[in-house]
Amino acid sequence: VILVFVLSIGSLIIYFINSSDPVGSCSSYEDKTIPIDLTFNAFFTFYFGLRFLAADDKIRFWLEMNSIVDIFTIPPTFISYYLKSNWLGLRFLRALRLLELPQILQMLRAIRTSNALKFSKLLSIVFSTWFTAAGFIHLVENSGDPWLKGRNSQNLTYFDSIYLVMATTSTVGFGDVVAKTSLGRTFIMFFTLGSLILFANYIPEIVELFLTKKTYTSSYEVLKGKKFVVVCGNITVDSVTAFLRNFLRHKSGEINTEIVFLGEAPPSLELQTIFKCYMAYTTFVSGSALKWEDLKRVGVESAEACLIIANPLCSDSHDEDTSNIMRVLSIKNYYPHTRIIIEILQSHNKDFLPKIPSWNWTNGDNIICFAELKLGFIAQGCLVPGLCTFLTSLFLEQNSKVCPKEPWQKIFVSSLKNKILTQRLSDDLAGMTFPEVSLLCFVKLHLMLIAIKHKSTASGYCGLILNPPAQVMLQKNTLGFFIAESAKHVKRAFFYCATCHSDVHSPELIRRCSCKS
């Protein structure tokens, strides 16, 4: 395919060289372009036969664009050589081969992004249309109208025809080069209408590609008091959709953290659509986490955390983990106090991260290993049947809408509304044991308290404790972890007042009281 494309461009160049001569004239065997063009067309004939033998539908094969181009360009070359006459004819149709340029660039791996592919497709359509229309004008103007036997013909080069087509397409029309034949003028009228429709669609898209690239290279504006997280790594349509669906699962107004995506390539049209839908919460910046100037543009030093997403569908998990570890090194070298949350595909690669000097577990740096999570869920699912379903319903957003019919289905669907939420506990609960507080939350507040963030006065350890024993006493400003439907419900644990709400039996009545004002 690449060879055919190269030879087609060569044949088009030979046509351009011979365009200064008359369209039909006696040729000499001393002309070096004739045997070269003849060799090209001999190869095209061989390739045409191969394509015909390989075609499943022989009738449809004759209607393909490449077949039509070969039918109108190959035979005239051999006939002209046999009759010793140089007739350019319809050789300009070789310009339609430019439509295969995006495919050729993909084969050569010259383009790797969707924007580059789209840009090459737009250029191939524009230039192939220009060159083909210019070839028709060149043929008609040099041959003249057939019914006038060429009396109104003019000597017009192929370059002049391209100039005329471009001036017509742009609707400028300088008038220095004009069509004199009736066929040429008729073609110009229809081509003008067609080009207005064609280029009115494609030219703005080309301009938008350049403007989009410029838009996403600007810096993120860091505002004092505004929380945001930086997400880098595998920034694709699937990963961004899944991340936003679960990160923004709360109602609008409950999200006060913005997401800054740092992608190594400009976003595709699908990604741009997603970012426009969530433009109130998301910002995309084109750059690499391996470059300090790009980390500065997204304000990593001011971010709440930096999340590095892995690609679970990659062909080489080790290379994916290595790339993400290098991102961690770059971020930690730029600003050591940045909180890092990284996804690792292979568990043995976790050993490299704690060896980084600035890695700090107490600061919130964390590693999420897909392999360990999968195997751990399988093992725990054997010990506790239904645990995987329970955890999945808590941490992942459920998309499917089920219409429950049985009573157990209604209970199951209603439980899918619950999720893990955090809330500071009321200071009136300080000094109580965890079983006492969890019983109070369940009975009076209709909340399920499962864990707390506790700081030990003896050892100084501060961390998450799941279902602590009765020896653990709650302190002031203790952070609780609940299973509840919404953040509005867990606010009851903060508003609870032992004086005002001791005799209240309805959880909806537990609101901010005068004692908490």
Side-chain angles (χ1 to χ4, degrees):
V1 175
I2 297 176
L3 181 59
V4 171
F5 179 79
V6 173
L7 295 182
S8 299
I9 299 300
S11 179
L12 190 63
I13 293 174
I14 293 176
Y15 173 84
F16 183 79
I17 295 174
N18 295 329
S19 64
S20 57
D21 300 331
V23 173
S25 60
C26 296
S27 61
S28 173
Y29 288 111
E30 296 179 358
D31 191 354
K32 296 181 180 180
T33 61
I34 294 179
I36 295 176
D37 195 27
L38 200 63
T39 305
F40 288 171
N41 283 276
F43 177 80
F44 293 145
T45 305
F46 173 73
Y47 184 63
F48 181 86
L50 287 180
R51 288 175 47 245
F52 178 75
L53 294 176
D56 296 329
D57 191 346
K58 306 298 183 182
I59 298 177
R60 186 178 180 181
F61 169 81
W62 295 96
L63 301 177
E64 293 180 358
M65 185 196 68
N66 290 336
S67 301
I68 296 175
V69 171
D70 290 337
I71 291 172
F72 283 101
T73 55
I74 294 176
T77 304
F78 292 100
I79 295 175
S80 298
Y81 183 79
Y82 178 77
L83 298 177
K84 298 181 181 180
S85 64
N86 184 23
W87 185 65
L88 296 179
L90 302 176
R91 298 184 195 177
F92 59 87
L93 292 177
R94 294 287 181 197
L96 294 176
R97 292 280 188 179
L98 290 174
L99 295 174
E100 299 178 358
L101 180 61
Q103 179 185 0
I104 302 299
L105 294 178
Q106 279 187 301
M107 291 180 179
L108 298 176
R109 295 185 178 181
I111 53 177
R112 300 178 182 270
T113 62
S114 59
N115 283 339
L117 177 61
K118 183 180 180 181
F119 182 68
S120 62
K121 286 182 178 180
L122 294 176
L123 286 184
S124 63
I125 292 174
V126 171
F127 284 110
S128 62
T129 304
W130 274 341
F131 293 156
T132 305
F136 184 82
I137 291 296
H138 176 261
L139 175 63
V140 171
E141 291 300 312
N142 282 273
S143 302
D145 291 324
W147 55 87
L148 297 178
K149 297 181 180 180
R151 289 193 298 269
N152 60 344
S153 64
Q154 61 172 328
N155 188 12
L156 201 66
T157 64
Y158 186 58
F159 181 78
D160 293 335
S161 302
I162 295 176
Y163 171 76
L164 174 60
V165 168
M166 289 188 174
T168 304
T169 303
S170 61
T171 67
V172 176
F174 293 106
D176 50 347
V177 179
V178 294
K180 294 183 178 180
T181 62
S182 300
L183 284 177
R185 292 177 176 177
T186 304
F187 176 78
I188 287 294
M189 287 189 294
F190 287 101
F191 179 75
T192 302
L193 296 176
S195 62
L196 287 176
I197 299 173
L198 181 67
F199 296 109
N201 291 330
Y202 290 135
I203 297 300
E205 292 188 19
I206 296 177
V207 175
E208 185 180 357
L209 288 176
F210 287 100
L211 293 179
T212 300
K213 185 176 181 181
K214 184 178 179 181
T215 301
Y216 296 116
T217 54
S218 58
S219 300
Y220 173 72
E221 185 179 358
V222 179
L223 300 177
K224 187 177 180 180
K226 185 178 181 180
K227 295 182 179 181
F228 69 95
V229 295
V230 178
V231 181
C232 58
N234 179 42
I235 307 298
T236 60
V237 175
D238 295 334
S239 64
V240 170
T241 303
F243 183 86
L244 292 176
R245 186 176 63 246
N246 292 282
F247 192 87
L248 302 177
R249 62 188 300 180
H250 301 283
K251 295 181 180 178
S252 58
E254 298 178 359
I255 304 298
N256 58 357
T257 303
E258 190 171 349
I259 310 167
V260 181
F261 289 94
L262 180 62
E264 297 184 356
S268 60
L269 292 178
E270 295 84 356
L271 262 180
Q272 293 181 34
T273 304
I274 295 174
F275 291 141
K276 289 179 180 178
C277 294
Y278 297 95
M279 63 185 305
Y281 309 106
T282 61
T283 301
F284 183 87
V285 177
S286 181
S288 174
L290 301 177
K291 298 179 180 179
W292 283 15
E293 56 268 21
D294 293 336
L295 294 177
K296 183 178 180 180
R297 289 195 297 114
V298 297
V300 169
E301 64 277 5
S302 303
E304 295 292 316
C306 183
L307 285 70
I308 302 177
I309 301 178
N311 181 15
L313 303 178
C314 63
S315 58
D316 194 336
S317 301
H318 182 73
D319 287 347
E320 180 71 12
D321 288 344
T322 303
S323 301
N324 289 331
I325 292 173
M326 293 302 297
R327 292 185 177 98
V328 175
L329 285 171
S330 176
I331 296 171
K332 285 294 186 180
N333 288 334
Y334 174 73
Y335 189 72
H337 301 293
T338 303
R339 181 188 177 191
I340 299 291
I341 301 175
I342 180 176
E343 290 182 352
I344 292 294
L345 301 179
Q346 297 181 345
S347 58
H348 63 269
N349 291 325
K350 291 175 57 177
D351 300 334
F352 298 105
L353 292 166
K355 297 178 182 179
I356 300 175
S358 55
W359 185 269
N360 190 353
W361 294 101
T362 59
N363 190 36
D365 293 341
N366 206 344
I367 305 171
I368 300 174
C369 180
F370 281 163
E372 286 186 353
L373 286 175
K374 291 178 182 177
L375 297 176
F377 282 158
I378 293 174
Q380 294 297 329
C382 297
L383 298 175
V384 184
L387 179 65
C388 295
T389 305
F390 172 69
L391 295 177
T392 302
S393 63
L394 286 178
F395 289 101
L396 296 181
E397 185 75 16
Q398 305 297 322
N399 289 329
S400 58
K401 295 182 179 180
V402 182
C403 297
K405 298 180 180 179
E406 301 294 333
W408 70 269
Q409 293 178 345
K410 296 180 180 179
I411 297 174
F412 178 77
V413 172
S414 63
S415 65
L416 293 179
K417 300 177 183 178
N418 295 317
K419 42 189 171 287
I420 300 293
L421 297 170
T422 59
Q423 179 60 55
R424 296 282 177 184
L425 299 179
S426 173
D427 291 342
D428 290 357
L429 302 177
M432 300 174 61
T433 63
F434 180 82
E436 293 173 346
V437 176
S438 61
L439 180 62
L440 186 147
C441 290
F442 186 75
V443 175
K444 185 175 285 292
L445 307 180
H446 290 187
L447 299 174
M448 184 177 290
L449 180 65
I450 60 174
I452 59 172
K453 187 176 182 181
H454 179 70
K455 183 176 182 180
S456 176
T457 56
S459 61
Y461 171 78
C462 181
L464 175 67
I465 304 179
L466 183 65
N467 192 21
Q471 293 80 7
V472 178
M473 297 289 182
L474 268 68
Q475 304 169 0
K476 290 185 177 181
N477 292 325
T478 300
L479 183 66
F481 291 78
F482 296 89
I483 296 179
E485 291 187 8
S486 66
K488 180 181 179 181
H489 292 166
V490 298
K491 280 288 184 180
R492 302 167 189 165
F494 177 74
F495 293 147
Y496 176 77
C497 177
T499 304
C500 302
H501 300 142
S502 58
D503 57 346
V504 175
H505 300 286
S506 178
E508 287 77 12
L509 299 178
I510 299 178
R511 302 169 183 171
R512 185 185 297 272
C513 61
S514 58
C515 301
K516 300 289 184 181
S517 58

